[in-house]
Amino acid sequence: MDIIFYHPTFDANHWISLLQRQLPEARIREWRSGDNGPADYALVWHPPVEMLRGRTGLKAVFALGAGVDSILSKLKKDPDLLPAGVPLFRLEDTGMAEQMQEYAVSQVLHWFRRFDDYQALKLQAKWEPLADYEREDFTIGILGAGVLGGKVAESLVGWGFPVRCWSRSHKNYSRIKSFAGREELSAFANNTRVLINLLPNTPETVGIINSELVNQLADNAYVLNLARGVHLVEDDLLTALDSGKLKGAMLDVFSREPLPAESPLWRHPRVAITPHVAAVTRPAQAVEFISSTIIQLDKGQHPTGQVDLQRGY
């Protein structure tokens, strides 16, 4: 079995070492330009077209992250990037759900306990106890109900918040109200106090967090974007913050990354920013998932995690 690996920033030697322990019989190498040697599997992130083009012998390609939009966008420009019939797999969890839970829960509690308000008072040197928010008035709405969205929703239910989710199709999560399809998006947004985005990046979801959606949220709502920057219309967000419709936003992802220094998001007092770190790929857990999937594929089984190229996730 031959495996090729490519990531523009990861330590290839470390990954190859971890893979070799899981798949001792495999021949694993870091792919470099000009390498046209045999390959049964490819592990990639933002792969050059020449790495995959024409490799009809591939049994599968693995994206080294939960999102596959970088590969799919390249595939639209160059249909030969991924040989026909070669399945594409994404990392379903591999520690990302836990990280997303930590991020989302900590931020929701930050807003719920009014720490944003207390920080603003602190800057004015004001000692002023504020009235508590009530959980029943703090409905959490999650855009995206896949592996990550479902885990985040379950965590917030555990803290006693009313939680609802919206996705392409209805889900059967316990204690979580499910909405689906564009026809139910307004009902989902109505009375939502905290909007959390964990949607996949598809043509249908680009720009979904816009003025129309935001204006249907509860007054003094919050937005937490953990998915992709293209989901959010930044100008609409700023307008809603300045008008008072939104009380705050926490953003981990942006349409342009790194976020340009001239972006007004940096300077807005009610916008908090992190540099796309909500959930990062953990090598040991990712390698365990990839190795297990490869073993299943070699046995003729059908493991989870395969991407539907038409849906984009």
Side-chain angles (χ1 to χ4, degrees), residues 130-145:
L130 300 172
D132 291 340
Y133 289 142
E134 301 295 333
R135 274 178 168 76
E136 56 266 29
D137 299 325
F138 221 77
T139 296
I140 315 297
I142 300 175
L143 290 168

Side-chain angles (χ1 to χ4, degrees), residues 111 195 209 214 217 221-225 232 237 246 248-251:
W111 286 325
L195 181 70
I209 306 175
V214 167
L217 301 175
Y222 300 92
V223 169
L224 175 57
N225 191 11
L232 173 67
L237 176 82
L246 290 180
M250 182 77 181
L251 309 177

Side-chain angles (χ1 to χ4, degrees), residues 37-56:
D40 298 294
Y41 297 99
L43 283 53
V44 302
W45 190 250
H46 293 288
V49 173
E50 65 170 307
M51 178 184 181
L52 301 178
R53 178 189 283 148
R55 290 188 178 274
T56 55

Side-chain angles (χ1 to χ4, degrees), residues 5-8 10 15 42-47 61-72 88-97 99-100 147-148 200 227-228 276 279-283 285-287 289-290 304-307 312-313:
F5 177 95
Y6 175 84
H7 195 292
F10 283 177
W15 278 76
L43 283 53
V44 302
W45 190 250
H46 293 288
V61 172
F62 291 86
L64 297 172
V68 293
D69 40 303
S70 67
I71 293 179
L72 296 182
L88 173 65
F89 286 84
R90 62 183 175 85
L91 303 184
E92 282 195 311
D93 183 349
T94 63
M96 293 182 189
Q99 295 174 75
M100 287 295 190
V147 174
L148 299 181
R228 286 292 185 267
H276 205 146
V280 299
T281 302
R282 291 176 171 170
Q285 289 165 289
V287 165
F289 170 80
I290 292 168
T304 61
Q306 184 172 343
V307 175
Y313 57 92

Side-chain angles (χ1 to χ4, degrees), residues 134-213:
E134 301 295 333
R135 274 178 168 76
E136 56 266 29
D137 299 325
F138 221 77
T139 296
I140 315 297
I142 300 175
L143 290 168
V147 174
L148 299 181
K151 293 292 186 182
V152 168
E154 290 169 0
S155 289
L156 289 164
V157 165
W159 282 92
F161 293 105
V163 179
R164 58 182 59 168
C165 67
W166 180 87
S167 56
R168 185 174 180 273
S169 58
H170 285 107
K171 306 298 180 183
N172 293 314
Y173 294 123
S174 175
R175 297 186 294 167
I176 300 167
K177 190 171 183 179
S178 175
F179 295 82
R182 286 282 176 172
E183 64 277 10
E184 295 185 8
L185 186 56
S186 293
F188 160 82
N190 183 46
N191 203 40
T192 289
R193 188 67 181 278
V194 179
L195 181 70
I196 301 176
N197 179 36
L198 283 163
L199 285 168
N201 179 12
T202 69
E204 292 75 23
T205 62
V206 170
I208 193 170
I209 306 175
N210 53 31
S211 58
E212 182 180 358
L213 180 66

Side-chain angles (χ1 to χ4, degrees), residues 289-303:
F289 170 80
I290 292 168
S291 300
S292 173
T293 303
I294 286 175
I295 290 170
Q296 291 177 69
L297 288 170
D298 272 3
K299 291 180 177 178
Q301 299 172 355
H302 301 283

